[in-house]
Amino acid sequence: MLKLDQLKRQLKVGKVYRRGELSKWSSAIDRHLDALLKEGVLEKISQGLYYVPKTSTFGKVPPDEDVLVQSFLKDSRFLILTPNSYNNLGFGTTQLYNKKVVYNHKRHGKFKLGNREFEFQLKHHFPKKLTPEFLMVDLTNNLDFLAEDQSNVLDEVIQRASQLPSKKLKQAILEYGTVKTKKILNQYFNK
């Protein structure tokens, strides 16, 4: 039991751990993980991924998305977004999507982490934070996947391109746009 207590002392509330990280503090990691799961000290998120839950007056608090995704990827270079982000741009998108997309350099596919599902997409280039310019380009990149009338949304995108700083928009188009998006959005600059 001494080793289990030593392992417990290493755990920090709110942190997500990989099995490999925890094994450095235990010589019987599988037995200790089972004991910690039964005690409620740890919660299993997915294969080899564990969370030390925070508690609030409403019960256990799920892990922060950024912490969860960073632990899953073993990388801090990612961007989480939802197509709902496009709705704030004023381009006529109003649909609500139950989808989280993670642009990253390592994983591709749908993964369930705890009770949340993420769609991981491999991308070579994406910003560290969402910007209106990036969202405009990303919206145009993903136009075919939206539930809205695509031609109306595209018309709004072209019309409102003038409201964004042209230097930032040109840079976003260059860095993040697909060939089709570059062709569509660069016509605004060629007027």
Side-chain angles (χ1 to χ4, degrees), residues 32-42:
H32 289 154
L33 284 173
D34 284 341
L36 293 171
L37 288 168
K38 284 178 186 164
E39 286 180 36
V41 174
L42 283 180

Side-chain angles (χ1 to χ4, degrees), residues 21-38:
E21 290 175 87
L22 297 172
S23 66
K24 66 184 171 190
W25 297 308
S26 171
S27 56
I29 190 62
D30 292 324
R31 188 176 68 232
H32 289 154
L33 284 173
D34 284 341
L36 293 171
L37 288 168
K38 284 178 186 164

Side-chain angles (χ1 to χ4, degrees), residues 126-153:
F126 51 86
K128 291 180 181 179
K129 294 185 179 180
L130 294 176
T131 65
E133 295 81 13
F134 171 76
L135 283 171
M136 177 188 249
V137 172
D138 198 60
L139 166 70
T140 310
N141 287 343
N142 294 299
L143 201 55
D144 294 338
F145 303 106
L146 297 180
E148 284 87 4
D149 182 319
Q150 296 170 10
S151 61
N152 287 345
V153 172

Side-chain angles (χ1 to χ4, degrees), residues 92-141:
T93 58
T94 57
Q95 292 290 323
L96 294 177
Y97 298 87
N98 187 18
K99 179 179 178 179
K100 291 279 184 173
V101 179
V102 180
Y103 291 157
N104 72 98
H105 300 293
K106 291 187 165 190
R107 298 280 194 134
H108 186 77
K110 290 184 180 178
F111 294 90
K112 189 164 177 128
L113 303 176
N115 59 358
R116 294 181 254 181
E117 189 171 292
F118 296 89
E119 184 178 313
F120 288 79
Q121 294 183 11
L122 288 172
K123 295 276 185 184
H124 294 293
H125 305 287
F126 51 86
K128 291 180 181 179
K129 294 185 179 180
L130 294 176
T131 65
E133 295 81 13
F134 171 76
L135 283 171
M136 177 188 249
V137 172
D138 198 60
L139 166 70
T140 310
N141 287 343

